[in-house]
Amino acid sequence: MTERLRVRIRDDAGPPYRQLVEGIRRRIERGALLPGDRIPPVRTVAADLGIAPNTVGRAYRALEDDGWIEGRGRAGTFVADRLPERPSSVDAALEAAADDYLRRAAQLGVDRDAAITALRRHTR
């Protein structure tokens, strides 16, 4: 069964593709879209929401890359049978801190391995 997506795109809420990604993900998390449910084609969503098909395609690709949906060729796009695990807030915070650290190290001209070695030395 294909359901119309009830996602609202607002001008003041960031990039439309990101709003669509978050809206679909929330619908899946809340159980409004269940594993195996077919989601509307790109062109249908674009027409319903008044946004470009490329924007919808970009959102679908991001959701597929993250494991929320899966394309099944001509059959369409469906909510994934097995949904991704969400990291705990602590895991997410540590990952963000690690990304920040490695980005800053790169700005200083230090490669990833040297940055990790420096961190290990610091924790001794």
Side-chain angles (χ1 to χ4, degrees), residues 48-62:
D48 287 350
L49 299 178
I51 57 179
N54 285 344
T55 301
V56 178
R58 182 178 180 191
Y60 277 23
R61 281 189 301 279

Side-chain angles (χ1 to χ4, degrees), residues 43-106:
R43 291 183 192 276
T44 301
V45 174
D48 287 350
L49 299 178
I51 57 179
N54 285 344
T55 301
V56 178
R58 182 178 180 191
Y60 277 23
R61 281 189 301 279
L63 287 161
E64 192 166 5
D65 289 347
D66 290 344
W68 292 97
I69 64 174
E70 57 190 23
R72 297 181 187 163
R74 297 185 128 190
T77 305
F78 297 82
V79 175
D81 290 328
R82 187 165 180 197
L83 300 177
E85 284 188 35
R86 304 244 11 223
S88 72
S89 60
V90 172
D91 289 342
L94 284 173
E95 187 173 321
D99 288 343
D100 291 344
Y101 172 75
L102 291 173
R103 190 175 310 110
R104 181 63 181 135

Side-chain angles (χ1 to χ4, degrees), residues 11-63:
D11 291 337
D12 62 345
Y17 91 92
R18 178 58 43 204
Q19 291 181 59
L20 185 56
V21 166
E22 293 302 317
I24 293 171
R25 189 178 50 79
R26 273 193 311 272
R27 291 186 57 76
I28 293 169
E29 288 175 334
R30 291 180 184 155
L33 291 170
L34 299 172
D37 281 353
R38 186 170 190 255
I39 61 174
V42 168
R43 291 183 192 276
T44 301
V45 174
D48 287 350
L49 299 178
I51 57 179
N54 285 344
T55 301
V56 178
R58 182 178 180 191
Y60 277 23
R61 281 189 301 279
L63 287 161

